[in-house]
Amino acid sequence: EVQFLESGGGLVQPGGSLRLSCAGSGFTFNGYAMAWVRHSPVKGLEWVSSMDGSGLHTYYPDSVKDRFTISRDDSKNTLYLLLSSLRADDTALYYCAKPHTNWPFDAFEMWGQGTMVTVSS
Amino acid sequence: QSALTQPPSASGSLGQSVTISCTGTSNDVGRYTYVSWYQHHPGKAPKVLIYEVNKRPSGVPDRFSGSKSGNTASLTVSGLQADDEADYYCSSYAAISNYLFGSGTKVTVL
């Protein structure tokens, strides 16, 4: 069974940083596009970042560009999201997700259970 | 990069149908067939119901159907069941290298 397990969330002060991890089991990340999506009661679901299967191309919405960085370590079968210059409106449950095909912007067919990030002083 | 517009809420009786709209622009919903719909019970993982406007992943019942006309996509849930009570989000690819979700619709089963 394919599973994604996110970790690394927590309470962080505004301006701080955090690294989220998404470990895959029953699934090999190598060669597959992956993404991060977040959910908050205020904004609902929001796409945060995507990476293509090669790992060479990354994509972000303007709201997180230059603050968040997606990366992967295929040897550890793990996807990462580095969050920096965090703001209160980054508070959300962060999910890793796999697109239906290997196109980074296809529908997300598999999701983890999420890790909570709270930005507050 | 504004979210796609959905009604905040919708409701229907058990066994009846409900249709949710998702309005975008000519740069997203109106231009591309990469429109998807997700069911989300808060705190749990979202589940894709529809992809590419009207295709259902295996395991999704045919009570869920999608369509699109111009800049507006729609999700219809037929034969409403108690477990259909959830939040529903549309999404669309948007130019350039962007992915938009809708504002979300809370469906209540009466």
Side-chain angles (χ1 to χ4, degrees):
Chain A
E1 181 187 5
V2 175
Q3 286 188 330
F4 298 137
L5 183 61
E6 300 94 336
S7 61
L11 175 63
V12 60
Q13 292 188 339
S17 298
L18 213 54
R19 190 180 78 160
L20 308 183
S21 301
C22 170
S25 62
F27 172 75
T28 302
F29 280 118
N30 189 16
Y32 285 96
M34 291 293 297
W36 289 92
V37 176
R38 66 187 180 186
H39 176 265
S40 67
V42 173
K43 295 183 181 179
L45 290 175
E46 183 181 12
W47 169 67
V48 171
S49 181
S50 290
M51 171 179 278
D52 72 353
S54 72
L56 295 177
H57 302 284
T58 58
Y59 309 91
Y60 307 91
D62 288 347
S63 59
V64 308
K65 193 174 293 184
D66 299 326
R67 298 190 303 120
F68 290 7
T69 303
I70 188 173
S71 63
R72 66 202 290 165
D73 185 338
D74 289 339
S75 68
K76 296 182 178 179
N77 215 35
T78 300
L79 180 75
Y80 300 102
L81 184 68
L82 176 63
L83 292 66
S84 59
S85 301
L86 282 163
R87 311 184 301 221
D89 64 355
D90 294 317
T91 294
L93 184 63
Y94 284 73
Y95 297 99
C96 67
K98 178 190 172 300
H100 171 67
T101 65
N102 216 24
W103 184 52
F105 298 99
D106 211 334
F108 299 121
E109 64 172 355
M110 286 190 276
W111 299 68
Q113 291 302 309
T115 185
M116 186 68 200
V117 172
T118 303
V119 184
S120 175
S121 55
Chain B
Q1 295 179 342
S2 300
L4 307 174
T5 301
Q6 297 181 232
S9 62
S11 62
S13 302
L14 276 170
Q16 298 301 306
S17 298
V18 65
T19 297
I20 305 167
S21 62
C22 169
T23 302
T25 70
S26 58
N27 286 325
D28 39 68
V29 174
R31 177 177 293 188
Y32 302 102
T33 58
Y34 293 102
V35 176
S36 305
W37 288 90
Y38 299 87
Q39 180 188 62
H40 187 218
H41 292 96
K44 296 189 176 182
K47 175 185 176 182
V48 61
L49 300 173
I50 298 288
Y51 66 98
E52 292 179 27
V53 177
N54 55 16
K55 299 179 181 177
R56 279 186 308 276
S58 60
V60 174
D62 60 5
R63 302 187 298 106
F64 296 92
S65 61
S67 63
K68 188 184 84 161
S69 177
N71 296 339
T72 299
S74 298
L75 172 74
T76 297
V77 185
S78 306
L80 275 168
Q81 300 179 359
D83 193 47
D84 295 333
E85 191 159 291
D87 298 327
Y88 291 79
Y89 292 88
C90 62
S91 70
S92 174
Y93 176 67
I96 299 171
S97 298
N98 197 9
Y99 192 91
L100 297 176
F101 280 100
S103 47
T105 299
K106 182 177 181 62
V107 169
T108 301
V109 180
L110 303 172

